[in-house]
Amino acid sequence: MAKKDLRFNTLLVHGAGFKDQYYSANVPIYQTSTFAFENADYGAKCFSGEIDGYIYTRLGNPTISALENTVAALEGGYGGIATSSGMGAVTTIYMALLEKGAHIISTDAVYGPSRGVMEEHFSRFGVESTYIDTSDINKIKSSIRKNTKLLFIETPANPTMSITDLEKCFEIAKENNIIMVVDNTFSSPYLQNPIKYGTDVVFHSMTKFLNGHADVVGGIIVAKEKVIYDKLRVMMINMGCNFDPHQSYLVLRGIKTLAIRIERAQENAIKIAQYLENHPKIEWVKYPGLKSHPQYELAKKQMRGFGTMISFELKGGYEAGKILMNNVKVALLAVSLGGVETLIQHPASMTHSKIPKESRIKAGITDGLVRYSVGIEDVNDLIEDLDQALSKI
Ligand SMILES: *Cc1c(COP(=O)(O)O)cnc(C)c1O
């Protein structure tokens, strides 16, 4: 039985069929920059592509390939391309699939730097971009231009937690000959597989759920078909934003527990979301697993679970946010997400403090907004921690 045919949870543990001459139980770290050829003929065949041999680690390496094949299988795609970071994946996608005069439509609440690099740098090369609430399908339709080449979706998006309908998006993309890309970082392949709905390219910041232990920065792209895969791989190699063997080993290790980590964190997340929703000092809570979430039904349809990210608004605004940050003792005051440890963040006083208040609020980053990434700790400790910190406000 090809490993590809295995069920998701088995694939997580066994990976996509790595084998070496020793039948190593675990994928070894091939800590080498280059690979010697047996003879000139063999070298020539590696370069011509006749033999699928390794040449140089920026182009490919057995440990990195094992990771790429595993994530490609988890997403149901043709092939994977590991990158130095999630942003390495974003820039590789932009560089490979856009050209001078092209136009991209993107989710307005997309990861900040995914928008920043487009508006500040790709614009210098004549690429146009439009940012809209992609959870409104009609807004996508009306934003399409003759030169639209990419539809770039993030769902659930952050910090609004709004959800975009992947199936409907792909219908529109296909009709208009547009390549559809999904940033699947917030869900991981465990909760959502965009390729199942047609999506052409999926990518992750592996820094988050895939690795899951807050000790690696990395990214990965999975393409549905060979044509786009080849373009992306060549671009990654030429830009030099490759991943490395040692970190590939760490991510492969993290992936083995992806399902049980997310299951536990999700159990915690729904309890915490409900606790927060009933707290008098909290204005609103955004979590796709709450019935109050406007796209609760859509989340239920296209995701296997509701994830581990919660946004909430403190009634006390900016000051309340700072008090909460200064009083939590279990959750770590840190950006990032998707790890075994719970993280808390107050964008107005932390990540977004340099943005003028007016534009910050326009982008939905209100004064009392708190972002909470739920880990796998005992939920009672997390709730007690929030409870004592909220009581200080
Ligand atoms: C973190 C993140 C990225 C960027 O990933 P890095 O590994 O930090 O470069 C992109 N998209 C989303 C949704 C993220 O959370």
Side-chain angles (χ1 to χ4, degrees):
M1 185 183 191
K3 288 270 170 86
K4 262 193 163 153
D5 301 330
L6 295 173
R7 290 176 179 81
F8 195 92
N9 288 347
T10 312
L11 205 50
L12 287 177
V13 177
H14 291 275
F18 174 86
K19 235 188 234 132
D20 64 8
Q21 71 265 45
Y22 308 112
Y23 293 89
S24 305
N26 204 22
V27 179
I29 306 171
Y30 285 87
Q31 193 71 40
T32 183
S33 60
T34 194
F35 299 83
F37 306 126
E38 234 174 285
N39 52 50
D41 254 6
Y42 182 89
K45 283 178 181 167
C46 282
F47 275 100
S48 74
E50 202 178 313
I51 293 178
D52 201 11
Y54 292 100
I55 298 171
Y56 182 64
T57 283
R58 176 160 50 78
L59 281 55
N61 171 292
T63 318
I64 303 174
S65 299
L67 170 66
E68 291 171 333
N69 294 337
T70 297
V71 178
L74 294 174
E75 285 289 13
Y78 168 80
I81 299 144
T83 54
S84 51
S85 66
M87 282 312 297
V90 171
T91 49
T92 299
I93 291 166
Y94 288 168
M95 283 291 284
L97 305 177
L98 292 167
E99 69 272 322
K100 184 177 162 194
H103 173 240
I104 171 175
I105 299 172
S106 186
T107 304
D108 53 2
V110 72
Y111 184 68
S114 300
R115 180 168 179 167
V117 73
M118 178 54 63
E119 288 188 312
E120 283 164 44
H121 300 291
F122 280 81
S123 61
R124 293 191 284 121
F125 304 101
V127 177
E128 300 169 356
S129 53
T130 304
Y131 302 89
I132 50 162
D133 176 4
T134 49
S135 70
D136 183 346
I137 294 294
N138 290 324
K139 282 194 182 147
I140 299 179
K141 282 186 187 157
S142 62
S143 303
I144 293 173
R145 304 178 191 169
K146 272 210 182 85
N147 55 343
T148 305
K149 290 289 161 66
L150 280 190
L151 176 58
F152 195 95
I153 303 289
E154 193 173 312
T155 176
N158 167 38
T160 55
M161 300 307 292
S162 76
I163 312 236
T164 296
D165 191 322
L166 295 172
E167 200 170 6
K168 287 194 180 139
C169 272
F170 184 66
E171 269 170 35
I172 300 170
K174 200 175 163 199
E175 241 174 65
N176 293 279
N177 247 329
I178 297 168
I179 296 173
M180 175 166 158
V181 178
V182 173
D183 182 341
N184 206 24
T185 302
F186 257 54
S187 299
S188 91
Y190 183 63
L191 295 182
Q192 178 171 278
N193 297 124
I195 290 176
K196 206 169 86 183
Y197 301 102
T199 305
D200 302 289
V201 178
V202 174
F203 75 92
H204 294 270
S205 165
M206 297 195 293
T207 316
K208 318 293 166 54
F209 289 101
L210 283 169
N211 180 60
H213 294 75
D215 51 10
V216 164
V217 170
I220 194 158
I221 311 169
V222 176
K224 183 174 67 174
E225 283 159 9
K226 185 174 187 306
V227 180
I228 292 182
Y229 167 85
D230 287 344
K231 283 188 192 172
L232 291 164
R233 176 158 290 279
V234 167
M235 187 54 68
M236 178 282 287
I237 290 170
N238 288 340
M239 292 208 302
C241 57
N242 55 288
F243 204 43
D244 76 84
H246 188 255
Q247 297 205 99
S248 294
Y249 164 83
L250 288 172
V251 179
L252 279 165
R253 183 149 103 166
I255 284 176
K256 290 175 199 277
T257 56
L258 179 71
I260 56 174
R261 280 189 280 115
I262 292 190
E263 285 297 341
R264 161 63 81 84
Q266 265 187 166
E267 267 174 41
N268 290 351
I270 187 71
K271 288 180 188 155
I272 291 166
Q274 283 162 352
Y275 160 80
L276 290 169
E277 203 170 40
N278 290 314
H279 199 286
K281 287 178 183 166
I282 289 171
E283 183 72 36
W284 50 251
V285 180
K286 282 187 181 147
Y287 178 66
L290 290 174
K291 296 243 165 67
S292 59
H293 189 286
Q295 288 122 0
Y296 170 79
E297 289 301 330
L298 176 58
K300 218 161 90 173
K301 190 186 126 214
Q302 76 181 20
M303 298 171 72
R304 273 182 219 104
F306 299 112
T308 69
M309 293 300 296
I310 302 171
S311 294
F312 58 93
E313 177 78 15
L314 292 161
K315 281 183 185 159
Y318 187 86
E319 280 312 312
K322 279 187 80 173
I323 295 169
L324 182 65
M325 294 304 113
N326 286 332
N327 284 284
V328 285
K329 294 188 171 74
V330 179
L332 303 175
L333 232 60
V335 296
S336 197
L337 60 109
V340 289
E341 57 287 299
T342 295
L343 307 179
I344 194 166
Q345 214 258 102
H346 179 223
S349 71
M350 296 166 71
T351 44
H352 294 68
S353 59
K354 289 213 177 75
I355 299 175
K357 187 170 171 174
E358 205 174 302
S359 9
R360 170 166 61 72
I361 288 175
K362 209 173 149 206
I365 317 279
T366 40
D367 283 347
L369 179 75
V370 175
R371 213 182 75 165
Y372 197 79
S373 169
V374 184
I376 65 170
E377 299 95 332
D378 189 309
V379 70
N380 296 310
D381 284 330
L382 296 174
I383 291 177
E384 279 169 31
D385 185 37
L386 284 168
D387 208 51
Q388 61 80 24
L390 285 166
S391 75
K392 306 273 168 35
I393 296 171

